[in-house]
Amino acid sequence: MTSETSGDRKALVVRGGWEGHQPVVITELFLPFLRARGFTVRTSGTLDVYADAELLAATDLVVQCWSMGEITAEQSAGLTAAVRAGTGLAGWHGGIVDSFRGDVGYQLLTGGQFLMHPPGFSDHTVTPTREHDAHPVIAGLGPFQVHTEKYWMLTDPLIDVLATTEFAADEDRARPVTMPAVWTRTWGAGRVFVSAIGHKPDDFDVPEVRTLTERGLLWASR
């Protein structure tokens, strides 16, 4: 099922998968923002759109919120080819890094894969990196606090890490670890934006979270 509104650029919002991440509720938070920035917004509750080469070629930005689930080889190849050709890809939390766990090509595209998080929600600090402090996604932002899940991930060394969070040493980990929390990457002519933050709608009530997510959507777009 799809719906569409009018604008100059085209955004495709693909939402579904595990309902615990509230894919419709949370993506709806960003549709007015995209429309206000001049995007035609089309939503899809099926991954079949990734096999539509003509549609993706005409799309400037794919916003994905699809946790877990399975993607076919044709759908995965279609999304990857579209990004390589210049279509942007953006998302947050499990909707982009806990998707299609069996598809290595998809993980190479996004630059990271969720592995675990400590039980429940925790108060923790997200810190923009000095190396990329002038990047338009995080420019002017300082460290900020969130109360949500803290993701442990495997990440690609070719991503540009824009913000991190810390895991203390414990019975399983002999030393503290700095973990990527927000990153960007390029894939051919396309751009990819990922944020680990966004398990629940009120995560985006934190001004810095909302700001960097909105900026990330714009940055990733063609």
Side-chain angles (χ1 to χ4, degrees):
M1 182 176 183
T2 62
S3 62
E4 188 169 328
T5 58
S6 264
D8 294 331
R9 288 190 288 177
K10 292 181 170 57
L12 173 63
V13 179
V14 182
R15 54 197 190 182
W18 184 57
E19 287 297 327
H21 281 156
Q22 303 181 64
V24 173
V25 171
I26 295 182
T27 55
E28 286 289 327
L29 297 176
F30 294 95
L31 302 193
F33 170 80
L34 290 170
R35 294 179 183 123
R37 296 306 185 276
F39 284 88
T40 293
V41 177
R42 175 173 181 163
T43 63
S44 176
T46 172
L47 298 174
D48 290 342
V49 290
Y50 289 162
D52 188 335
E54 183 177 354
L55 171 64
L56 292 184
T59 298
D60 298 296
L61 173 66
V62 173
V63 180
Q64 180 182 286
C65 190
W66 196 292
S67 299
M68 305 183 214
E70 296 183 0
I71 192 169
T72 69
E74 181 185 12
Q75 291 163 349
S76 180
L79 175 62
T80 299
V83 175
R84 188 181 295 115
T87 298
L89 174 64
W92 51 82
H93 200 62
I96 193 164
V97 290
D98 191 16
S99 312
F100 324 131
R101 293 174 181 175
D103 193 293
V104 174
Y106 174 80
Q107 294 164 24
L108 287 170
L109 174 64
T110 58
Q113 174 64 45
F114 163 79
L115 292 184
M116 60 79 68
H117 64 78
F121 304 145
S122 65
D123 294 312
H124 55 278
T125 302
V126 179
T127 305
T129 59
R130 291 186 177 182
E131 181 183 4
H132 297 293
D133 61 2
H135 192 286
V137 170
I138 60 166
L141 300 182
F144 58 91
Q145 298 291 313
V146 294
H147 179 75
T148 191
E149 292 178 342
K150 183 164 61 169
Y151 267 14
W152 182 282
M153 289 180 287
L154 294 181
T155 55
D156 188 321
L158 290 177
I159 63 175
D160 291 323
V161 179
L162 305 186
T164 61
T165 191
E166 302 295 320
F167 281 81
D170 60 19
E171 64 272 15
D172 296 318
R173 291 173 281 273
R175 60 180 183 273
V177 171
T178 299
M179 182 66 60
V182 180
W183 70 78
T184 56
R185 73 168 309 154
T186 56
W187 189 263
R191 293 176 167 187
V192 178
F193 163 79
V194 173
S195 171
I197 311 162
H199 176 83
K200 49 192 172 58
D202 67 5
D203 287 351
F204 299 99
D205 291 343
V206 178
E208 292 89 347
V209 176
R210 184 70 181 234
T211 295
L212 70 86
T213 306
E214 291 178 343
R215 289 177 176 180
L217 300 181
L218 297 181
W219 179 87
S221 178
R222 194 195 325 259

